[in-house]
Amino acid sequence: MPMGKSRISKRSSSSSNSYASTATTLVFLALCVLGVWMLSSNSVTPPETTTRNTITRKEPQTTTNTKSNLPAFEDNPGDLPDDAIKSDDEVNDINGGKSQQDQKVAILPEISKDSIVDNGGDAIITDKQESSAEDLHGKESTEEQEKQKESENQNTEESSFTQNQRIEEITSEESKQTSNNNEESEQNRVSEENNVENQKPNENIQMPDELDQEKSLQQQLKEDESRENTQESQYNEDQQQQPKDVEMSNIEEKPETQPQKAYQDESQQSQAGNQETQQKEDNKEEGNTESNKGTESNTVETFPAVENTVIPKESKESKKSWATQATQSANEKERRKDKSSGNEGMYETTWQLCNVTAGPDFIPCLDNEKAVKKLRSTKHFEHRERHCPEEGPTCLVPVPEGYKKPIEWPKSRDKIWYHNVPHTKLAEVKGHQNWVKVTGEFLTFPGGGTQFIHGALHYIDFVQQSVPAISWGKQTRVILDVGCGVASFGGYLFDRNVIAMSFAPKDEHEAQVQFALERGIPAISAVMGSQRLQFPSRVFDVVHCARCRVPWHADDGLHLLELNRVLRPGGYFVWSATPVYQKLPEDVEIWKAMSSLTASMCWELVTIKKDKLNSVGAAIYRKPTTNNCYNQRKHKRPPMCKEDDDPNAAWYVPLQACMHPVPVDNAERGTKWPEPWPRRVQTPPYWLNSSQMGIYGKPSPQDFATDHEHWKRVVSKSYLTSLGISWSNVRNVMDMRAVYGGFAAALKDLPVWVMNVVNIDSPDTLPIIFERGLFGIYHDWCESFSTYPRTYDLLHADHLFSRLKKRCKLAPVMAEVDRIVRPGGKLIVRDESSIFREVENLLKSLHWEVHVTISKNQEGLLSAQKGDWRPDTYVDSS
């Protein structure tokens, strides 16, 4: 029965019984005064205080006396739905273990739309409404209340007193709601607000009973009918609104851990009296869903409330101030637009295993055999470059037989499970150089390399002793390691606070980059071929090559000139190779060619040093910081690049045998060296102009600082504590849509590294990320990433999928996410709630465990964990 109708029928019956005669009325008024006096003398107690913003109580399931005259939601829950009844265990848990009989509960005069929260079957009444100051005598049992109701129609003095007391409560309730001009009611509201501010934990609220004795009961009852009609209408609206709001989410809750407290955004913390936000912060019940009229809130509190951590929207105006790789790269590939039918949110995907030669090591853009067969030439290693299929594959990569959970860092630097990367060829070919060895069920890495057989740390110290200005971990923070092998050089640079972007091709050195990533060392599959590396210009502090097998002197220095493009002015090139220290005819010839080329490029040969322990040598060059040498060259070879050639364009841009001038304007990037590490990570780059609008609409330096502080709060208050992620198991992290690199910067004190990906259609902020002492790469997520399967522990996607969906379908993208993430790995998605249904459905079809929360401002947070599931069938090869 609707609550409004129930009240009308109850009070109509009461009026007819109470005022049948004038004599009864006179007795009734006399008893009213007596009842008030008795209540005032026996019931007035100091109000108990609490800091809890919700009063949650057990609603007894009564099957008799359905026409009770007591107002609903007081002692009697009235005709509530079955799912609004809480168990004893839940009530005891919320009330700190106290039984219901021990709790003092406030009477609320009206249940508005803001007062009911659908909590997965829990009835929760908030103190957001202004409740009247009435004493409930909460220790009376349900049976005693029912007896009182049944005896109300008797003409005895005792029943009259009970009826008078009840009508008195109703009178106070209605008076509180409608009589804003009543001075006594105003005092009650002020008293209640003061009590809320002074509340103590784990106690419910009891208000003093202050009633207006001189209020005309006759006048009040005349207004009952109109008020009850209004309440009925409001309640019906509320009941219609709640299921609609709850249905919006369609969220399945599978929490990993007990939810943690949601942290508050500064702007929301400053809103005094925002008790709805306080309720979210204090409510630690699983699956709490808020459905308030006037908001679009629909939150399953698997994690903290998302609206409190949402960064400001990206400014449309700011896009005019920032270039993108899509516009910078002249021959950027045209993307196939998404021709969706409108039913893309519902997937009935039948996943199958990829039927490819590469098997468990499949990289779609590097193992495209059809495209490779059509190449006219492989002279510049074109067959090792990216050749992506027109449509991203929607098949899944199989897992090697015997695959185990990866060994945690730092032990993984020394050994990995053999069955995770079951390749022995490199151990057979390079084992004597201490690259990798097979040791039982492990592949072990002694830390050596072709040029540092006796260990990478000794070699790293040798380089700094040769040129002290390199100053590992202070002046030098971000380096590029060309032809990295198993990346032991980069792996041990972590001990010097240096991060290395290591890369090598997917070639006959079987799975070398896969070894690196399995060890927890950053690396990508790439080659010095016919196209530019996917990095901006002037970003690496040092470039390193130790027997990297790149013919630097060939093709007019085409590849060395590419290193010149990405090397910071004043940065160093460390070349450790046989031409430096051996006198074989071939080596001598290469050395002469290199000497001529580097001189014409105006690189200064700083030193040539020999490492006696490893019996190797290294030549260390430095890039100029001015254009004086360029202007003074006689032969002008290699030539300077044309003025319209953008040095930052790097997405599918062919290599050119030319040089870009060094910037000379003090406000231009590259004229000054970055701040020493770690200060540079939080310092806005000097070349960020205050007159330029940042990504979020503020001046660029202020925008940078806001982003930095935002991600510090999000990571510390939410990601590290409330997502159920065991960060000791996390080593390799990717930010799939980095802006300023704030997410990576917030993780800098953890033993993790972050690959920051700047999308080609996003503002080109990758130079800022490098300037901070972090690293990253350009990429288009409509294509496959250049990494091996099962190589990342955690992917982070901030407002990626809602933007990506405009250009390509999400099914291939989610298949790529599944390919990259290790079994047991995580995905964190922050995005518009409109995209969550599709993402969630795709992940569930992949048998990922998914947890979602949607906030009232239609921003959402999704956390998912990959399982071990793989399909049983393969894609038909035909």
Side-chain angles (χ1 to χ4, degrees), residues 812-827:
V813 179
M814 299 313 298
E816 176 67 2
V817 168
D818 183 87
R819 187 186 72 88
I820 293 174
V821 176
R822 292 168 169 169
K826 299 295 184 66
L827 170 68

Side-chain angles (χ1 to χ4, degrees), residues 30-77:
L31 290 175
C32 258
V33 175
L34 178 61
V36 169
W37 178 82
M38 292 178 67
L39 289 174
S40 300
S41 61
N42 296 328
S43 303
V44 177
T45 58
E48 299 182 9
T49 59
T50 177
T51 57
R52 294 186 62 86
N53 291 327
T54 61
I55 304 173
T56 308
R57 59 174 172 261
K58 174 182 175 183
E59 304 292 356
Q61 301 185 36
T62 57
T63 57
T64 61
N65 195 23
T66 57
K67 294 185 179 182
S68 168
N69 290 328
L70 277 175
F73 291 94
E74 293 182 2
D75 273 343
N76 185 350

Side-chain angles (χ1 to χ4, degrees), residues 453-478:
I453 296 175
H454 297 286
L457 278 177
H458 169 80
Y459 176 77
I460 290 169
D461 292 339
F462 157 73
V463 172
Q464 178 163 310
Q465 291 167 5
S466 301
V467 181
I470 286 180
S471 186
W472 296 124
K474 295 181 181 179
Q475 292 298 108
T476 298
R477 166 63 182 174
V478 186

Side-chain angles (χ1 to χ4, degrees), residues 10 15 96 157 380 520 562 567 642 706 721 725 741:
K10 293 171 190 174
S15 298
E157 182 176 324
H380 294 108
E562 173 63 1
L567 184 61
K642 295 180 180 180
T706 300
T721 59
I725 297 175

Side-chain angles (χ1 to χ4, degrees), residues 277-349:
T277 303
Q278 290 278 340
Q279 175 187 344
K280 290 182 182 178
E281 186 173 13
D282 290 336
N283 186 357
K284 297 184 179 180
E285 290 295 310
E286 278 187 357
N288 178 32
T289 305
E290 176 183 334
S291 55
N292 293 334
K293 183 180 177 182
T295 68
E296 297 178 356
S297 174
N298 189 8
T299 304
V300 173
E301 294 242 349
T302 305
F303 335 114
V306 180
E307 71 274 15
N308 296 334
T309 62
V310 171
I311 198 155
K313 296 286 186 181
E314 293 189 12
S315 168
K316 294 182 179 180
E317 292 297 323
S318 70
K319 295 181 179 179
K320 301 177 182 178
S321 305
W322 295 83
T324 67
Q325 277 298 307
T327 57
Q328 289 173 322
S329 303
N331 66 335
E332 191 270 324
K333 296 171 63 178
E334 288 202 17
R335 294 304 316 148
R336 180 179 180 275
K337 299 296 182 182
D338 179 20
K339 300 179 181 179
S340 58
S341 63
N343 298 322
E344 59 275 12
M346 303 302 295
Y347 279 89
E348 296 181 359
T349 306

Side-chain angles (χ1 to χ4, degrees), residues 556 561 633 635-642 657-660:
D556 297 323
L561 290 167
R633 292 182 306 158
H635 301 293
K636 307 294 183 183
R637 295 193 63 85
M640 304 303 291
C641 297
K642 295 180 180 180
C658 65
M659 296 186 300
H660 295 90

